[in-house]
């Protein structure tokens, strides 16, 4: 048997980096790491003013720059304490270095090129040297370094100017390698929609012999946003469109000097909006289940955007459930998509088989795990099948197995459904929060199953939008020969 790819857990997204200073962010990350265990975390705003790294000042009539790492140290310390490493994104532009005043997001990330590329390179170099001094070169070599975010969109890079981005990348990559040649640098972190960008970027770095250790892009499947107050509605393409986007870089770069490089999908989700209620639903978990099951065949990592609803690109959320990207709401209420990831984290490591509605893994102890999901109608969730049957025959050690099944669907393990039934309270009371946490836990059932001729036959009946995990472990019967459960309330002698 081969190992099941773990590209799904190699990285996860967060909001801007300074959010890691807040208690709710830290509590949420601790829960995610305890039950899922991601390996890297990527967020915006490393060099934005909120992190306070680039600090120009005037002394004796001369302009100087101090590089301050007060917040950066606290953020990275908080990450490493939770067993997760940074996936550094070089951006956005500090206001004291920016060539213009165009910004993105409620919190104002500057998206203009540097007024001085020399000073930009100095900023990168000083930051990396500080991180190496604090955490050691062997540690920092494990942190991929990505240049900017979605420069093919004018919202994120002034005029979406490819030539200007190529120059920024060239300066940035050399600044990284000047610190240590073994540090990992890459890009271009493009948004879906203009796939030629990667090809022109690859041609530029190849022609100019610019350092590059990985390529990156993003993947989403939602259509244009139809706005309502404090939210949006969007159409969705089939989930297979995400897998097509994951596969595209290797196809585009085959036969080029970049053809063998690792591919990182540094953001993915259904909707690119942080206020689309689809993110809170069981539909969303079932929709993404085949992507998580199969994405590792196509790329080296794909980072769910994001682990928490602590996210302020469109402002401070106005309700507990507001369509945020997160696996968790504020106050650590688990969404169905959280459980999809937690189920994956509990899978046995060895790949057995995969189908359009299930994934089977096992380990050397005889433990078997099955992740199964109901098919969805991506055009209208109400038209998804009410039930779906999965029939499996799996090699298994005998004579019996203990089966534990954990499930989430439109009703079970679904805090969003409970919140709607509560009347959609904007600011739930402490007791309501406790009830929502309880409602968010998966439904669990268990039983013994018999092994016949070295196989176990399993029929899984899935409810609409259900995602379920079956864990089967060999039974070693240690019941004493004198014990008889039928005599629990009997005083008679055997």
């Amino acid at each position: 048997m081969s190992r099941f790819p773990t590209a799904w857990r190699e990285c996860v997204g967060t909001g801007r980096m300074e959010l890691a200073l807040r208690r709710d962010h830290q509590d949420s990350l601790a829960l995610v790491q305890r039950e899922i265990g991601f390996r890297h975390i990527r967020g915006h705003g490393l060099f934005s003013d909120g992190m306070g790294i680039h600090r120009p000042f005037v002394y004796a009539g001369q302009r100087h720059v101090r590089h301050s790492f007060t917040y950066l140290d606290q953020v990275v310390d908080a990450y490493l304490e939770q067993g997760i490493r940074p996936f550094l994104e070089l951006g956005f532009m500090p206001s004291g270095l920016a060539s213009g005043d165009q910004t993105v997001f409620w919190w104002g990330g500057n998206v203009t090129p540097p007024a001085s590329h020399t000073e930009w390179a100095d900023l990168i170099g000083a930051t990396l040297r500080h991180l190496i001094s604090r955490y050691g070169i062997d540690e920092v070599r494990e942190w991929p370094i990505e240049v900017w975010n979605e420069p093919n969109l004018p919202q994120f890079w002034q005029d979406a100017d490819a030539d200007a981005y190529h120059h920024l990348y060239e300066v940035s990559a050399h600044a990284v390698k000047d610190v240590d040649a073994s540090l990992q640098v890459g890009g271009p972190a493009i948004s879906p929609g203009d796939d030629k960008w990667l090809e022109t970027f690859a041609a530029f770095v190849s022609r100019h012999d610019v350092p590059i250790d990985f390529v990156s892009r993003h993947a989403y499947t939602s259509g244009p946003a139809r706005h309502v107050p404090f939210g949006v509605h969007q159409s969705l393409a089939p989930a297979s469109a995400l897998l097509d986007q994951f596969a595209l870089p290797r196809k585009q770069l085959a036969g080029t000097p970049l053809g063998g490089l690792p591919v990182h999908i540094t953001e993915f989700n259904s909707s690119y909006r942080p206020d689309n209620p689809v993110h809170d639903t069981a539909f969303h978990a079932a929709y993404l289940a085949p992507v998580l099951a199969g994405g590792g065949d196509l790329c080296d990592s794909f980072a769910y955007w994001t682990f928490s609803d602590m996210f302020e690109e469109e402002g401070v959320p106005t309700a507990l459930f507001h369509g945020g990207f997160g696996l968790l709401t504020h106050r650590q209420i688990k969404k169905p998509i959280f459980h999809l990831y937690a189920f994956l984290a509990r899978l046995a490591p060895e790949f057995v088989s995969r189908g359009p509605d299930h994934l089977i893994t096992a380990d050397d102890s005889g433990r078997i795990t099955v992740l199964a999901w109901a098919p969805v109608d991506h055009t209208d969730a109400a038209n998804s099948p009410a039930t779906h049957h999965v029939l499996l025959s799996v090699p298994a050690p005998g004579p019996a197995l203990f089966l534990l099944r954990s499930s989430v669907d439109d009703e079970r393990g679904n805090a969003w459904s409970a919140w709607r039934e509560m009347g959609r309270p904007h600011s739930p009371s402490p007791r309501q929060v406790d009830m929502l946490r309880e409602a968010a836990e998966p439904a669990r059932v268990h039983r013994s199953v018999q092994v016949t001729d070295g196989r176990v036959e399993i029929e899984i009946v899935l409810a609409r939008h259900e995602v379920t995990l079956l864990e089967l472990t060999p039974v070693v019967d240690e019941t004493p020969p004198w014990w008889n459960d039928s005599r629990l309330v009997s005083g008679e002698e055997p």
Side-chain angles (χ1 to χ4, degrees), residues 345-385:
R346 286 161 58 182
L347 289 178
E350 302 296 333
F351 176 81
V352 175
S353 66
R354 184 173 69 224
D357 51 13
H358 69 275
L359 168 68
I360 304 175
T361 63
D363 66 20
D364 292 340
S365 73
R367 179 172 175 260
I368 301 165
T369 50
V370 180
L371 180 71
W373 55 89
V376 304
D377 184 336
H378 69 276
T379 66
D380 185 350
N383 288 335
S384 299

Side-chain angles (χ1 to χ4, degrees), residues 97-368:
L97 181 52
S99 60
D101 57 8
Q102 180 186 343
T103 62
V104 68
F105 304 144
W106 171 78
W107 50 268
N110 189 290
V111 296
T112 66
S116 166
H117 283 82
T118 299
E119 192 169 312
W120 171 255
D122 290 343
L123 172 62
I124 294 169
T127 302
L128 293 177
R129 283 189 292 272
H130 170 78
L131 291 171
I132 290 167
S133 174
R134 184 175 179 86
Y135 302 105
I137 185 60
D138 290 340
E139 175 62 35
V140 180
R141 283 173 178 158
E142 300 296 322
W143 306 357
I145 302 166
E146 184 179 44
V147 180
W148 213 256
N149 175 76
E150 298 187 349
N152 60 321
L153 296 181
Q155 302 97 307
F156 289 100
W157 180 243
Q158 185 173 282
D159 301 323
D161 186 330
D163 291 338
Y165 175 74
H166 294 164
H167 184 39
L168 182 83
Y169 180 85
E170 181 176 23
V171 170
S172 303
H174 283 298
V176 170
K177 296 296 186 178
D178 285 347
V179 173
D180 187 275
S182 63
L183 294 175
Q184 307 171 58
V185 66
I190 56 171
S191 169
D194 186 357
D195 296 327
K196 293 296 182 183
W197 247 78
L198 181 57
E199 295 176 6
T200 57
F201 170 76
F204 172 81
V205 297
S206 299
R207 185 168 60 251
H208 295 276
D209 197 24
V210 181
I212 184 166
D213 300 297
F214 64 87
V215 294
S216 63
R217 66 159 292 158
H218 300 165
Y220 294 94
T221 52
S222 54
R226 297 186 296 278
H227 292 266
V228 297
F230 307 106
V232 301
H233 297 293
Q234 294 169 285
S235 61
L236 291 180
S240 59
L242 283 170
L243 296 174
D244 293 340
Q245 293 177 58
F246 290 7
L248 190 57
R250 287 181 179 171
K251 292 180 180 178
Q252 289 180 296
L253 300 175
T256 75
L258 277 60
L261 293 181
V263 173
H264 296 304
I265 308 300
T266 49
E267 292 181 20
F268 91 95
N269 209 313
S270 55
S271 170
Y272 57 83
R273 291 284 309 188
D275 49 3
N276 186 327
V278 73
H279 295 133
D280 299 333
T281 66
F283 165 90
H284 187 57
Y287 174 84
L288 289 181
V291 177
L292 271 63
D297 296 339
L298 305 171
C299 58
D300 295 272
S301 74
F302 49 103
Y304 185 80
W305 189 252
T306 59
F307 85 90
S308 168
D309 276 355
M310 178 161 282
F311 190 89
E312 298 174 349
E313 290 183 0
E314 293 295 321
V316 177
T318 61
L320 181 66
F321 283 95
H322 57 274
F325 290 123
L327 303 172
L328 298 169
T329 71
H330 286 254
R331 301 179 180 271
Q332 300 81 56
I333 296 173
K334 301 170 183 177
K335 301 182 188 181
I337 186 64
F338 176 96
H339 294 300
L340 172 60
Y341 272 89
F343 291 170
L344 278 164
R346 286 161 58 182
L347 289 178
E350 302 296 333
F351 176 81
V352 175
S353 66
R354 184 173 69 224
D357 51 13
H358 69 275
L359 168 68
I360 304 175
T361 63
D363 66 20
D364 292 340
S365 73
R367 179 172 175 260
I368 301 165

Side-chain angles (χ1 to χ4, degrees), residues 64-86:
H64 304 270
V65 176
R66 170 179 286 183
H67 298 117
S68 171
F69 304 110
T70 304
Y71 279 0
L72 180 60
D73 291 348
Q74 294 180 57
V75 169
V76 176
D77 286 355
Y79 289 167
L80 296 179
E81 286 170 6
Q82 296 300 333
I84 194 167
R85 290 170 161 146

